[in-house]
Amino acid sequence: DPAPSEALALHVHSGTPSGTVLCGSGTFMAGCTLFRITVRGKGCHGAMPETGVDPIGIAAQIWLALQEITGRELPAKTPGAVTARIMERIRQLSEGIASAFRGSAQMEELASAPPLQNDPALTEDMAALAETLLGREKVFRLKEGGMGSEDFASYTYELPCAYLLLGAGSPQEDPRY
């Protein structure tokens, strides 16, 4: 029952030339929060729309309002990370818009993964090892990561981790890609 001292992950990366390794230090991937908004309305006859509450219309209005959160709720230079504050704004907007149209909405958080944090020293060690295996020209050190998310990220808050990407092929290698 030994306690691990570090964790490593290697994931294929589509669109990157085969055999290429991408290494990023620090924040390498975005976090992700899955949520569901349930909108309730009231059915009616098409000839009497005033007697019903259209949940599709309410859902469309909520969707439009959510598009404004990163543009109106965060400073322009702040990455659009879903924080507790943004989740609360999603809840408030959903419930408020639904209520304004005589319906109701309930938001629930389903699952989340935090941003992936690569340990700089361990990532550099793995990049150097990849260079000895594949050659210096096949290993790229990235200054910033991407907007994908990965549940492996949870480990990066418990111990030093290095998550590297391995090129899985590109259109230049094969036009059928």
Side-chain angles (χ1 to χ4, degrees):
D1 192 19
S5 59
E6 57 192 24
L8 306 172
L10 182 64
H11 196 290
V12 294
H13 192 256
S14 299
T16 298
S18 299
T20 300
V21 176
L22 307 177
C23 309
S25 195
T27 304
F28 191 53
M29 297 184 98
C32 176
T33 300
L34 302 176
F35 62 92
R36 175 186 299 134
I37 300 171
T38 303
V39 176
R40 288 187 166 60
K42 178 182 173 190
C44 64
H45 191 281
M48 297 177 286
E50 71 279 4
T51 65
V53 176
D54 181 8
I56 295 172
I58 293 170
Q61 293 295 326
I62 291 170
W63 183 84
L64 287 169
L66 296 183
Q67 303 307 305
E68 294 295 317
I69 287 180
T70 56
R72 301 290 182 219
E73 299 286 332
L74 299 173
K77 293 184 179 181
T78 301
V82 175
T83 63
R85 176 175 173 240
I86 292 177
M87 292 305 288
E88 182 55 29
R89 287 299 292 146
I90 291 171
R91 182 181 319 282
Q92 290 170 350
L93 283 169
S94 299
E95 292 173 358
I97 290 168
S99 177
F101 288 98
R102 299 179 291 127
S104 67
Q106 178 184 5
M107 193 272 293
E108 58 185 314
E109 191 173 322
L110 303 175
S112 65
L116 189 140
Q117 300 286 332
N118 271 340
D119 179 78
L122 182 57
T123 302
E124 181 53 38
D125 288 348
M126 293 303 104
L129 179 59
E131 285 179 346
T132 64
L133 295 172
L134 303 170
R136 186 167 286 186
E137 70 283 355
K138 292 282 196 170
V139 179
F140 295 88
R141 290 162 177 83
L142 306 176
K143 293 184 186 229
E144 56 184 40
M147 291 304 293
S149 64
E150 171 64 51
D151 56 2
F152 178 83
S154 296
Y155 296 120
T156 69
Y157 293 83
E158 302 295 325
L159 65 161
C161 294
Y163 183 94
L164 308 178
L165 299 172
L166 176 64
S170 69
Q172 293 76 19
E173 291 175 70
D174 186 338
R176 295 175 296 174
Y177 171 79

